[in-house]
Amino acid sequence: MVNPPTHRYAAAWRHPDSGRDWLRARSYVDIARLLERGGFDLMFLPDALAVPEDALGDVATTLASGGKGAVTLDPLTVLSVVAGATSRIGLGATVSTSFLPPYAIARTLASLDHLSEGRVAWNIVTSTTDAEARNMGLERIPPKAQRYDRADRVVSQVLELMRTWAPGALVQDERTGLFADPSRVARTPAPRERAAPPGPLSLPRSPQGHPVLMQAGASPRGMEFAAKWAELVFVAADGIEGNRAIRAELRERARSAGRDPDELRVCAAIQPVAGSTMIDATRTRDALLSLIDEPSALRSLARLMHADAGTLRLDEPAADFLAEHRGATGSDGFEDMLAAVCRREGLSVRDLALRQSLDQLTPSPTGSGEAVAEELCEWQDAGAADGFVVTPAILPGSFEDFVEHVVPELRRRGRLAASEAPDTPSAGARPTLRSRLAAQR
């Protein structure tokens, strides 16, 4: 996951090793090439359509602290640049279903899938905040059930639009003068509602047919949606046991929906701190902690949970505080994870604020490359994850450390494919992202 200038680590932009050129295309190209070299399947960009507000609708706390969401580039624009500078890595773009018409989503994603030769993934979100809704012309964000009902319709219509061109419909026969075969281009099926787009899409079918579908919902409704549509599921759970339970439930839901559970890959969120030795990694983690300012962390927690920073009871159990402010983030799954960790570890409000600023309570394997690789293998062997969403504390340093120390160990253990040779003009058609994922099953 690539989300500069601030990721889950609140002080990322202040760290001396963080890049300062995240508004330049070259920064993303360099990161993508590093990840490609390190065997990553996908470079995934999250998105938000508003600067996060506090309970009063003020953005000052987010902007002053450089908090997560203070600056968010458009993922599709960034990935269009990356597509032309890389050859293998997947390109994951977050696009909300709550605001854009299905035709606009289909055309944009299909365009990028063509230009990247079949490397696109669509991270499907419904958006969660009133601020985003207002920026997109609505008074407030619809209730969760309505958002997911709309998402079901939008995804179905996007896929229908992407199927309006049959394979081989683009003929370009110079001899006969036939550009495209009209008999192989169709409208969408009879609309089930007046707003359904008739099509056809103004693009032929892309190399993958449609992008790989990603989703991150952990609520019951979110998991129902994932079981129906998702090929990759991004899970932020509280360790091996929590992730194993969610993965088992997702697989069972997929089976009940008539899908092969192996078609659904569950990827656990982690924020690893890797070094040449445990001492080296611990020193790196201590440096991350040293930049977290307690007053700022408390203000950020109050903003996140729509609380008054001046009335926080710092020694109160964090689980009680979260219960009092339930629903503030708009993500039930995220809040469930926070509460579970706080109860298990007995965290206070102060503890929660500091941990939230460090890694949002994401599992953080720390140690040598061998130790981090061992922990990831333990997750996979326990049935807790099919793969991982690696979130960096700082960019590009965290990814550089992972590629230098962890990737060689994963390759030595046979858990990650060996480094691929550079593409050559004679290499033929490149495999799509979906075919790469299928080959790993």
Side-chain angles (χ1 to χ4, degrees):
M1 182 160 66
V2 175
N3 190 30
T6 303
H7 310 268
R8 293 170 180 260
Y9 172 51
W13 66 272
R14 297 175 56 207
H15 196 284
D17 294 336
S18 282
R20 295 290 188 269
D21 57 351
W22 42 265
L23 287 175
R24 297 181 180 177
R26 168 57 75 180
S27 174
Y28 297 90
V29 168
D30 289 345
I31 292 168
R33 287 174 172 168
L34 169 66
L35 297 177
E36 193 169 64
R37 189 168 66 250
F40 280 74
D41 295 297
L42 185 72
M43 176 176 169
F44 151 53
L45 273 64
D47 194 22
L49 298 169
V51 177
E53 299 176 344
D54 63 16
L56 301 177
D58 196 344
V59 299
T61 297
T62 301
L63 292 175
S65 64
K68 182 179 178 180
V71 175
T72 308
L73 276 72
D74 175 64
L76 286 158
T77 303
V78 174
L79 292 173
S80 295
V81 173
V82 171
T86 56
S87 61
R88 292 188 296 271
I89 194 164
L91 310 170
T94 299
V95 181
S96 176
T97 58
S98 291
F99 311 115
L100 294 176
Y103 191 93
I105 296 173
R107 190 174 72 127
T108 302
L109 290 173
S111 295
L112 185 57
D113 206 39
H114 274 294
L115 296 175
S116 65
E117 298 181 64
R119 292 188 280 142
V120 174
W122 174 18
N123 182 44
I124 305 163
V125 299
T126 66
S127 300
T128 58
T129 68
D130 288 339
E132 291 175 286
R134 290 193 300 270
N135 281 345
M136 301 304 288
L138 303 179
E139 290 186 10
R140 62 183 60 86
I141 198 77
K144 179 190 289 283
Q146 291 183 26
R147 299 200 309 272
Y148 272 109
D149 288 346
R150 174 181 167 87
D152 274 322
R153 293 193 301 271
V154 169
V155 173
S156 177
Q157 292 169 10
V158 166
L159 298 185
E160 287 175 356
L161 284 164
M162 290 183 171
R163 290 192 290 264
T164 53
W165 287 62
L170 182 62
V171 178
Q172 298 191 90
D173 188 327
E174 297 177 3
R175 182 180 59 82
T176 64
L178 181 64
F179 177 73
D181 183 349
S183 69
R184 307 186 74 180
V185 181
R187 303 278 185 182
T188 58
R192 293 177 296 277
E193 61 176 22
R194 188 169 298 174
L201 196 64
S202 58
L203 284 170
R205 188 168 299 200
S206 70
Q208 297 188 106
H210 63 80
V212 170
L213 302 181
M214 297 176 60
Q215 203 262 345
S219 67
R221 184 66 177 88
M223 286 196 282
E224 177 187 337
F225 183 88
K228 180 177 181 180
W229 297 109
E231 298 166 80
L232 295 176
V233 183
F234 172 18
V235 175
D238 61 327
I240 287 180
E241 291 306 316
N243 239 77
R244 181 160 56 188
I246 291 177
R247 179 175 179 269
E249 181 174 352
L250 283 164
R251 288 174 62 83
E252 183 54 39
R253 284 177 178 267
R255 184 179 289 108
S256 298
R259 295 181 62 193
D260 177 355
D262 289 338
E263 293 177 354
L264 185 150
R265 304 295 192 79
V266 178
C267 298
I270 58 171
Q271 184 174 296
V273 181
S276 57
T277 64
M278 174 60 82
I279 293 175
D280 184 34
T282 301
R283 188 181 298 118
T284 298
R285 187 175 177 85
D286 289 345
L288 297 175
L289 283 166
S290 70
L291 289 179
I292 296 176
D293 171 69
E294 183 175 305
S296 178
L298 293 168
R299 287 192 297 272
S300 295
L301 177 64
R303 194 276 306 160
L304 176 71
M305 300 307 302
H306 289 186
D308 183 347
T311 63
L312 293 179
R313 298 184 294 276
L314 303 188
D315 296 321
E316 174 189 17
D320 294 345
F321 166 76
L322 292 171
E324 292 172 8
H325 298 278
R326 181 71 184 183
T329 69
S331 173
D332 292 341
F334 175 61
E335 292 181 21
D336 287 343
M337 181 274 290
L338 293 181
V341 175
C342 289
R343 284 193 297 267
R344 188 179 67 246
E345 299 185 13
L347 301 184
S348 67
V349 170
R350 176 187 284 107
D351 297 332
L352 172 60
L354 295 174
R355 285 282 302 280
Q356 174 68 17
S357 288
L358 176 64
D359 54 24
Q360 293 188 0
L361 282 69
T362 302
S364 183
T366 300
S368 65
E370 181 178 1
V372 173
E374 177 66 28
E375 187 166 342
L376 301 190
C377 292
E378 182 183 355
W379 277 64
Q380 193 174 62
D381 293 342
D386 300 298
F388 298 90
V389 175
V390 180
T391 302
I394 56 172
L395 274 174
S398 295
F399 283 144
E400 291 172 341
D401 290 341
F402 192 91
V403 170
E404 179 181 356
H405 301 297
V406 183
V407 165
E409 183 63 24
L410 291 174
R411 284 177 168 154
R412 187 186 70 79
R413 295 168 182 240
R415 300 300 184 107
L416 188 65
S419 180
E420 298 181 55
D423 289 310
T424 62
S426 61
R430 297 169 180 150
T432 65
L433 174 60
R434 182 173 285 106
S435 66
R436 285 179 179 276
L437 295 175
Q440 298 169 16
R441 288 176 60 178

